[in-house]
Amino acid sequence: MLYQVVMDVKIPRDLPEDERTQVLAREKAYSQDLQRQGKWRHIWRVAGQYANISIFDVQDNAELHQILSGLPLFPFMEIKVTPLLRHPSAIRDDDS
Amino acid sequence: MLYQVVMDVKIPRDLPEDERTQVLAREKAYSQDLQRQGKWRHIWRVAGQYANISIFDVQDNAELHQILSGLPLFPFMEIKVTPLLRHPSAIRDDDS
Amino acid sequence: MLYQVVMDVKIPRDLPEDERTQVLAREKAYSQDLQRQGKWRHIWRVAGQYANISIFDVQDNAELHQILSGLPLFPFMEIKVTPLLRHPSAIRDDDS
Amino acid sequence: MLYQVVMDVKIPRDLPEDERTQVLAREKAYSQDLQRQGKWRHIWRVAGQYANISIFDVQDNAELHQILSGLPLFPFMEIKVTPLLRHPSAIRDDDS
Amino acid sequence: MLYQVVMDVKIPRDLPEDERTQVLAREKAYSQDLQRQGKWRHIWRVAGQYANISIFDVQDNAELHQILSGLPLFPFMEIKVTPLLRHPSAIRDDDS
Amino acid sequence: MLYQVVMDVKIPRDLPEDERTQVLAREKAYSQDLQRQGKWRHIWRVAGQYANISIFDVQDNAELHQILSGLPLFPFMEIKVTPLLRHPSAIRDDDS
Amino acid sequence: MLYQVVMDVKIPRDLPEDERTQVLAREKAYSQDLQRQGKWRHIWRVAGQYANISIFDVQDNAELHQILSGLPLFPFMEIKVTPLLRHPSAIRDDDS
Amino acid sequence: MLYQVVMDVKIPRDLPEDERTQVLAREKAYSQDLQRQGKWRHIWRVAGQYANISIFDVQDNAELHQILSGLPLFPFMEIKVTPLLRHPSAIRDDDS
Amino acid sequence: MLYQVVMDVKIPRDLPEDERTQVLAREKAYSQDLQRQGKWRHIWRVAGQYANISIFDVQDNAELHQILSGLPLFPFMEIKVTPLLRHPSAIRDDDS
Amino acid sequence: MLYQVVMDVKIPRDLPEDERTQVLAREKAYSQDLQRQGKWRHIWRVAGQYANISIFDVQDNAELHQILSGLPLFPFMEIKVTPLLRHPSAIRDDDS
């Protein structure tokens, strides 16, 4: 089941540099692991923003929440979730 | 080059039924043709809305505008464009 | 899987009276049928508004969309969908 | 009498860890006690958010306020209250 | 139980003059009858607006909705409801 | 002359406890004194919010500002002012 | 007593040309008469908008409302009212 | 050339008292000097707000910016600028 | 003197086709004439929108308003004006 | 390819003075270097704001993002990006 998720990142200025480096490294590993599993299907950077637009393919709302609330950057993000489904005009097999 | 495009459709109630049927058929053909060309890369329906979230892969802003302004439903849509690029954490080859 | 759906109804003034009566009757039957099936789990009126707040329990985003887009009042509604899940503090068995 | 209440939680980053742990434990106990009394009738987590959507069944506005302003997390929440009533199409006995 | 209700009136330009006159007369009678009963406790005009701010004193959300949805101008109003209660600093006996 | 005033209170978390206690005590005394003078005609708590909705009856804009800017909690409040007048349908003598 | 009033004009396209001409002529006469009386103290056009920003000097909220609701263009305007008073740094005698 | 300028002041709570006193004194002197030069033509306090609405009469956008960015309170203000011009119905000589 | 002007065009669906063609032709001629005079310095299409972002170089607010209110499409546009000036970091001679 | 970029600058008050001076100097050098390369085609100050409106001419979304995210003031800016293209009525050769 598909969801569009928009993540705006606002890391506080007073986060110690090493903590910042670590959280970003963990975020990257966490994201890439989920991408490899096929659950975080797409991730794009928004031009000019510290933000991404992503597509998740998970079993249900609960799994989506478990993944998002487990993001290392979760406390520093504003997140918007939009539930998606196959569009009747879609021709691509994997867009559902 | 990638863009997210969100399209909200509001077809006026007084559009004659056959005109409505025709414009929807032309919209579908137009969309599927661009999907086959690889320019309209993804299209998903937003749950509960007469709206879609799409990803376009075109040469530049001008081509994107030419495609969007040529949509048969263009006069009945509210459109939001977000320019995208490859995310540094992306692992999928075709997400850029 | 649970979703909160908020529906704001704006029936156009120029809808013929009998059409209005019929669409409202069909809406009521449609809603009650889904309530009996357990898919439209709760529906409440918002005080002072021609609007309701509902809880749906369906299989996935696609089924939710099928139900909502099939509402007889769908063309006259503004709809907001919020995906829900069990809260860690919930004690009621059927709130998930 | 029923109310929908949306609670967005924003715990400040500089709240000491033990204080945070304590306030969350007290919040959970407080919520579950009210759920057992039948006053906090439903509570759901919003997917991707540190937020919940709840239904309260209390005697009047004053009791609702007493409960909400007594929440251990009250100082860290943004709260929206929507008064509800039985919907004319509702079939479930306890949705009022 | 008290509620603040803000009513913005937008009567459509194409409402026939006599229908307009009648609906306004019925609105006034309806409002004054409820004021006499003590249920519509206060009503003030907002300066420069075709709008009023009112205080209702009714038994519960259901009665409030029954009154508001019965307003002759209900189809032409945008309504906002705010549930109120006695303020701990209030000294006036009848502000609760 | 009447005004509706909405006051949202946001006391900063780092205000020392005794300062907080004092400012709240002064606020209560200040409000009750003005209520006794008949200038702060009504005050209600908004359910679920640290906010009030009040009606002031003062000589002019200048007196209203003098009162509001003198509120002990003024630096911690967001205030909205709406000028009111007697509604043509009002029957209560003192609603003007 | 002073108020800033912002008026946005939206004359409906289907207003007959002569009715439009007449209402604009009446609006101008109405405005200039009040300017001559000193009640409509200032009026400026907003660049690029069919809108004006005005300063009124009237006795009270009721007189302001009587003037504004009597504007020939009142049914075609969106109006915002801001109550003003003398600024402590003002040096001009007539800015209060 | 005329502009309406709205200034909302938000002085941070941790600004040392003497710094606050000094910046306010400098602001007042700065404002009154410009009023005397005829460039800051009007200034009014907004009732209930730490804000003012002002009218500037300057040579061009650049001079307006030089004046506004030189305000001692500039770092603590939110500013909105609206370019104005003579209204065709204005009768007062100096409203342009 | 420079201004950014954003123009959103919403031509009503019931405008007769020939009237539409004529107004668009007049708009184009009007715009190009002002471009040749150097007053409408830049005009760009916004991708995906029936909108443009333009830069005007005119003598004052009054001339800007005269030009904008004379646009053949003025009644069908939503316009936003932002006064500009030379940026201290600009190196291009004609950006002021 | 052209983009309009709006940058609102909010430098935190507690940034040490020398750090502030340095970041502003680096910002200016960075901007002027890109202006000389023709990539940052225009930059204007917004009157009354610590903000600029700029036009970028870059190869694609990725280059735009690389430039914007490399701005020394990037962590202290709110940025809005609007993709542009040649307007059909444009006469100036270099507006595309």
Side-chain angles (χ1 to χ4, degrees):
Chain A
M1 205 165 56
L2 300 177
Y3 299 85
Q4 181 230 38
V5 179
V6 183
M7 306 182 201
D8 276 282
V9 186
K10 288 186 211 294
I11 299 182
R13 244 178 83 232
D14 62 354
L15 195 76
E17 190 54 33
D18 58 338
E19 211 176 313
R20 182 190 173 100
T21 308
Q22 281 175 32
V23 77
L24 289 177
R26 281 192 292 124
E27 179 81 11
K28 187 170 192 169
Y30 184 92
S31 166
Q32 294 189 332
D33 181 43
L34 286 159
Q35 287 181 66
R36 274 183 221 103
Q37 294 178 45
K39 298 191 174 193
W40 194 325
R41 216 195 262 194
H42 300 283
I43 178 169
W44 298 284
R45 172 67 77 216
V46 179
Q49 311 293 332
Y50 194 174
N52 71 69
I53 290 179
S54 292
I55 304 292
F56 284 84
D57 181 4
V58 293
Q59 212 169 342
D60 54 17
N61 296 340
E63 191 187 9
L64 180 70
H65 185 73
Q66 182 196 11
I67 286 172
L68 294 179
S69 61
L71 286 163
L73 285 175
F74 184 72
F76 309 138
M77 276 176 169
E78 197 175 311
I79 289 180
K80 269 182 251 151
V81 171
T82 306
L84 302 176
L85 57 142
R86 187 171 184 81
H87 192 281
S89 298
I91 62 167
R92 188 168 165 150
D93 284 346
D94 62 347
D95 266 1
S96 53
Chain B
M1 206 165 56
L2 301 178
Y3 300 85
Q4 182 194 245
V5 179
V6 182
M7 307 182 199
D8 276 281
V9 186
K10 289 186 211 296
I11 299 182
R13 244 178 81 230
D14 62 354
L15 194 77
E17 190 54 32
D18 58 338
E19 211 176 313
R20 181 191 175 99
T21 307
Q22 281 175 34
V23 77
L24 289 176
R26 282 192 292 122
E27 178 82 10
K28 187 170 194 169
Y30 184 92
S31 166
Q32 294 189 332
D33 181 43
L34 286 159
Q35 288 182 64
R36 273 183 223 103
Q37 294 177 44
K39 297 190 174 191
W40 194 325
R41 216 195 264 192
H42 301 282
I43 177 169
W44 297 283
R45 172 66 78 216
V46 179
Q49 311 293 333
Y50 194 173
N52 71 69
I53 291 180
S54 291
I55 304 292
F56 285 83
D57 180 5
V58 294
Q59 212 169 345
D60 54 18
N61 295 339
E63 191 186 11
L64 180 71
H65 186 73
Q66 182 195 14
I67 287 173
L68 294 179
S69 62
L71 286 163
L73 285 174
F74 183 72
F76 310 137
M77 276 176 168
E78 197 176 313
I79 288 181
K80 269 182 252 150
V81 171
T82 308
L84 301 176
L85 57 141
R86 187 171 182 81
H87 192 280
S89 299
I91 62 167
R92 187 167 164 151
D93 283 346
D94 62 347
D95 266 1
S96 53
Chain C
M1 206 166 55
L2 300 177
Y3 300 85
Q4 183 194 245
V5 179
V6 182
M7 307 182 199
D8 276 281
V9 186
K10 289 186 211 294
I11 299 183
R13 246 178 80 229
D14 62 355
L15 195 76
E17 190 54 31
D18 58 338
E19 211 176 312
R20 181 191 173 99
T21 308
Q22 280 175 34
V23 77
L24 289 177
R26 281 192 294 122
E27 179 81 10
K28 187 170 192 170
Y30 184 92
S31 165
Q32 294 189 332
D33 182 41
L34 285 159
Q35 287 182 66
R36 274 183 222 103
Q37 295 177 45
K39 297 191 175 192
W40 194 325
R41 216 194 264 192
H42 300 283
I43 178 169
W44 297 284
R45 171 67 78 215
V46 179
Q49 311 293 332
Y50 194 174
N52 71 71
I53 291 180
S54 291
I55 305 292
F56 284 83
D57 181 5
V58 294
Q59 213 169 343
D60 54 18
N61 295 339
E63 191 186 9
L64 180 69
H65 185 73
Q66 182 196 12
I67 287 173
L68 294 179
S69 61
L71 285 164
L73 285 174
F74 184 72
F76 309 138
M77 276 177 169
E78 198 176 312
I79 288 181
K80 269 182 251 151
V81 172
T82 308
L84 302 175
L85 57 141
R86 186 171 183 81
H87 192 281
S89 299
I91 62 167
R92 187 167 165 152
D93 283 346
D94 63 348
D95 266 1
S96 53
Chain D
M1 206 166 56
L2 300 177
Y3 300 84
Q4 181 233 37
V5 179
V6 183
M7 307 182 199
D8 276 281
V9 186
K10 289 186 211 294
I11 299 182
R13 243 178 82 232
D14 63 354
L15 195 76
E17 189 55 33
D18 58 337
E19 212 176 312
R20 181 189 173 100
T21 308
Q22 280 175 33
V23 77
L24 289 176
R26 281 192 293 124
E27 179 81 11
K28 187 170 192 169
Y30 185 92
S31 166
Q32 294 188 333
D33 181 43
L34 286 158
Q35 287 181 66
R36 272 183 223 103
Q37 294 177 45
K39 298 191 173 193
W40 194 325
R41 217 195 263 191
H42 300 283
I43 178 169
W44 298 284
R45 171 68 78 216
V46 179
Q49 311 293 332
Y50 193 174
N52 71 70
I53 291 179
S54 291
I55 304 293
F56 284 83
D57 181 5
V58 293
Q59 211 168 345
D60 54 18
N61 294 340
E63 191 187 11
L64 180 70
H65 186 73
Q66 181 195 12
I67 287 173
L68 294 178
S69 61
L71 285 163
L73 285 174
F74 184 73
F76 310 138
M77 277 176 168
E78 197 176 312
I79 289 180
K80 269 182 252 152
V81 171
T82 307
L84 303 175
L85 58 142
R86 186 171 184 82
H87 191 282
S89 299
I91 62 167
R92 187 168 165 150
D93 283 346
D94 62 347
D95 266 0
S96 54
Chain E
M1 205 166 55
L2 300 177
Y3 299 85
Q4 182 195 245
V5 179
V6 182
M7 308 182 199
D8 276 282
V9 185
K10 289 186 211 293
I11 299 182
R13 244 178 81 231
D14 62 354
L15 194 76
E17 190 54 31
D18 58 338
E19 211 175 314
R20 181 190 175 99
T21 307
Q22 280 176 33
V23 77
L24 289 176
R26 281 192 292 124
E27 179 80 11
K28 187 170 192 169
Y30 185 92
S31 164
Q32 294 189 332
D33 181 42
L34 286 159
Q35 288 181 66
R36 273 182 224 103
Q37 294 177 45
K39 298 191 173 192
W40 194 326
R41 217 194 264 192
H42 301 282
I43 177 168
W44 298 284
R45 172 67 78 215
V46 179
Q49 312 293 332
Y50 194 173
N52 71 69
I53 292 181
S54 291
I55 305 292
F56 284 82
D57 180 5
V58 294
Q59 210 169 346
D60 53 20
N61 295 338
E63 191 187 9
L64 180 70
H65 185 73
Q66 182 195 10
I67 287 173
L68 295 178
S69 61
L71 286 163
L73 285 174
F74 183 73
F76 309 137
M77 276 177 169
E78 198 176 311
I79 289 180
K80 269 183 250 151
V81 172
T82 307
L84 302 176
L85 57 142
R86 187 172 183 80
H87 192 282
S89 299
I91 61 167
R92 186 166 164 152
D93 283 345
D94 62 348
D95 266 1
S96 52
Chain F
M1 206 167 54
L2 300 177
Y3 300 84
Q4 181 233 36
V5 179
V6 183
M7 307 182 200
D8 276 282
V9 186
K10 289 185 210 295
I11 299 182
R13 243 179 81 232
D14 62 354
L15 194 76
E17 189 55 32
D18 59 337
E19 212 176 311
R20 181 191 174 99
T21 307
Q22 280 174 34
V23 77
L24 290 176
R26 282 193 291 124
E27 178 81 11
K28 187 169 192 169
Y30 184 92
S31 165
Q32 294 188 333
D33 181 43
L34 286 158
Q35 288 181 65
R36 272 183 225 104
Q37 294 177 46
K39 299 194 172 188
W40 194 324
R41 216 194 265 193
H42 300 283
I43 178 169
W44 299 283
R45 171 68 78 214
V46 179
Q49 311 293 332
Y50 194 174
N52 71 70
I53 290 179
S54 291
I55 304 293
F56 284 82
D57 181 5
V58 293
Q59 212 168 345
D60 54 18
N61 296 339
E63 191 187 10
L64 180 70
H65 185 73
Q66 181 195 11
I67 287 173
L68 295 178
S69 62
L71 285 164
L73 285 174
F74 184 72
F76 310 138
M77 277 176 168
E78 198 176 312
I79 288 180
K80 269 181 253 152
V81 171
T82 306
L84 302 176
L85 57 142
R86 186 171 184 81
H87 192 281
S89 299
I91 62 166
R92 187 167 164 151
D93 284 345
D94 62 348
D95 267 0
S96 54
Chain G
M1 205 167 55
L2 299 177
Y3 300 85
Q4 182 194 245
V5 179
V6 182
M7 307 181 199
D8 276 282
V9 185
K10 289 186 211 296
I11 298 182
R13 244 179 81 232
D14 61 355
L15 194 76
E17 191 54 33
D18 59 336
E19 211 175 313
R20 180 190 175 100
T21 307
Q22 280 175 34
V23 77
L24 289 176
R26 281 191 292 124
E27 179 81 11
K28 187 170 193 169
Y30 185 93
S31 165
Q32 294 188 331
D33 181 43
L34 285 159
Q35 289 181 65
R36 272 183 224 103
Q37 294 177 45
K39 299 193 172 189
W40 194 326
R41 217 194 263 191
H42 301 282
I43 178 168
W44 298 284
R45 171 67 78 215
V46 179
Q49 312 293 332
Y50 194 173
N52 71 70
I53 291 181
S54 291
I55 304 292
F56 284 83
D57 180 5
V58 293
Q59 210 169 346
D60 54 17
N61 295 338
E63 191 187 9
L64 180 70
H65 186 73
Q66 182 196 12
I67 287 172
L68 295 178
S69 62
L71 285 162
L73 285 174
F74 183 73
F76 309 138
M77 277 177 169
E78 196 175 314
I79 288 180
K80 268 182 252 151
V81 171
T82 306
L84 302 175
L85 57 143
R86 186 170 184 81
H87 192 281
S89 299
I91 62 167
R92 187 166 164 152
D93 283 346
D94 61 347
D95 266 1
S96 53
Chain H
M1 206 166 55
L2 299 177
Y3 300 85
Q4 180 233 38
V5 179
V6 183
M7 308 182 199
D8 275 282
V9 186
K10 288 186 211 295
I11 299 181
R13 243 179 81 232
D14 62 354
L15 194 76
E17 190 54 33
D18 59 337
E19 212 176 312
R20 181 190 174 99
T21 308
Q22 281 175 32
V23 77
L24 290 176
R26 282 192 292 124
E27 179 81 10
K28 187 169 193 171
Y30 185 93
S31 165
Q32 294 188 332
D33 181 43
L34 285 159
Q35 288 181 66
R36 272 184 224 104
Q37 294 177 45
K39 298 193 173 190
W40 195 324
R41 216 194 263 192
H42 300 282
I43 177 169
W44 298 284
R45 170 69 77 215
V46 179
Q49 312 292 332
Y50 194 174
N52 71 71
I53 291 180
S54 291
I55 304 293
F56 284 83
D57 181 5
V58 293
Q59 211 168 345
D60 54 19
N61 295 339
E63 191 186 10
L64 180 69
H65 186 73
Q66 181 195 13
I67 287 173
L68 294 179
S69 62
L71 285 163
L73 285 175
F74 184 72
F76 309 138
M77 276 177 168
E78 199 175 312
I79 288 180
K80 269 182 253 151
V81 171
T82 305
L84 302 176
L85 57 142
R86 187 172 183 79
H87 192 281
S89 299
I91 61 167
R92 188 168 163 150
D93 283 345
D94 61 349
D95 265 1
S96 54
Chain I
M1 205 166 55
L2 301 177
Y3 299 84
Q4 182 193 244
V5 179
V6 183
M7 308 182 198
D8 275 281
V9 186
K10 290 187 211 295
I11 299 182
R13 243 178 81 231
D14 62 354
L15 194 77
E17 190 55 33
D18 59 337
E19 210 176 315
R20 180 190 174 101
T21 307
Q22 280 175 33
V23 76
L24 289 176
R26 281 192 293 123
E27 179 80 13
K28 187 170 193 169
Y30 184 93
S31 166
Q32 294 189 332
D33 181 43
L34 285 159
Q35 287 181 66
R36 272 183 224 104
Q37 294 177 46
K39 298 192 173 192
W40 193 325
R41 215 194 264 193
H42 301 282
I43 178 169
W44 298 284
R45 171 67 77 216
V46 179
Q49 311 293 332
Y50 194 173
N52 71 70
I53 291 180
S54 291
I55 304 292
F56 284 83
D57 180 5
V58 293
Q59 212 169 344
D60 54 18
N61 295 339
E63 191 187 9
L64 180 70
H65 186 74
Q66 182 195 13
I67 287 172
L68 295 179
S69 62
L71 285 163
L73 285 175
F74 184 72
F76 309 138
M77 278 177 168
E78 197 176 314
I79 289 180
K80 268 182 252 151
V81 171
T82 307
L84 301 176
L85 56 142
R86 185 169 184 82
H87 192 281
S89 299
I91 62 167
R92 186 166 165 152
D93 283 347
D94 62 348
D95 267 359
S96 53
Chain J
M1 206 166 55
L2 300 177
Y3 300 85
Q4 180 230 39
V5 179
V6 183
M7 307 181 200
D8 276 281
V9 186
K10 289 186 211 296
I11 299 182
R13 243 178 82 231
D14 62 355
L15 195 75
E17 190 54 33
D18 58 338
E19 212 176 311
R20 181 189 173 100
T21 308
Q22 281 175 31
V23 77
L24 289 176
R26 282 191 292 124
E27 179 81 12
K28 187 169 192 170
Y30 184 93
S31 166
Q32 293 188 332
D33 181 43
L34 286 159
Q35 288 181 66
R36 274 183 223 103
Q37 294 176 45
K39 298 192 174 191
W40 194 326
R41 216 194 263 192
H42 300 282
I43 177 169
W44 298 283
R45 171 68 79 215
V46 179
Q49 311 293 332
Y50 193 173
N52 71 70
I53 290 180
S54 291
I55 304 292
F56 284 83
D57 181 4
V58 293
Q59 212 169 346
D60 54 18
N61 295 339
E63 191 186 10
L64 180 70
H65 185 73
Q66 182 195 11
I67 287 172
L68 295 179
S69 62
L71 286 163
L73 284 175
F74 184 72
F76 309 137
M77 276 175 169
E78 197 176 313
I79 289 179
K80 269 182 254 151
V81 171
T82 305
L84 302 176
L85 56 142
R86 186 171 184 81
H87 193 280
S89 299
I91 61 167
R92 187 168 164 150
D93 283 346
D94 62 348
D95 266 1
S96 53

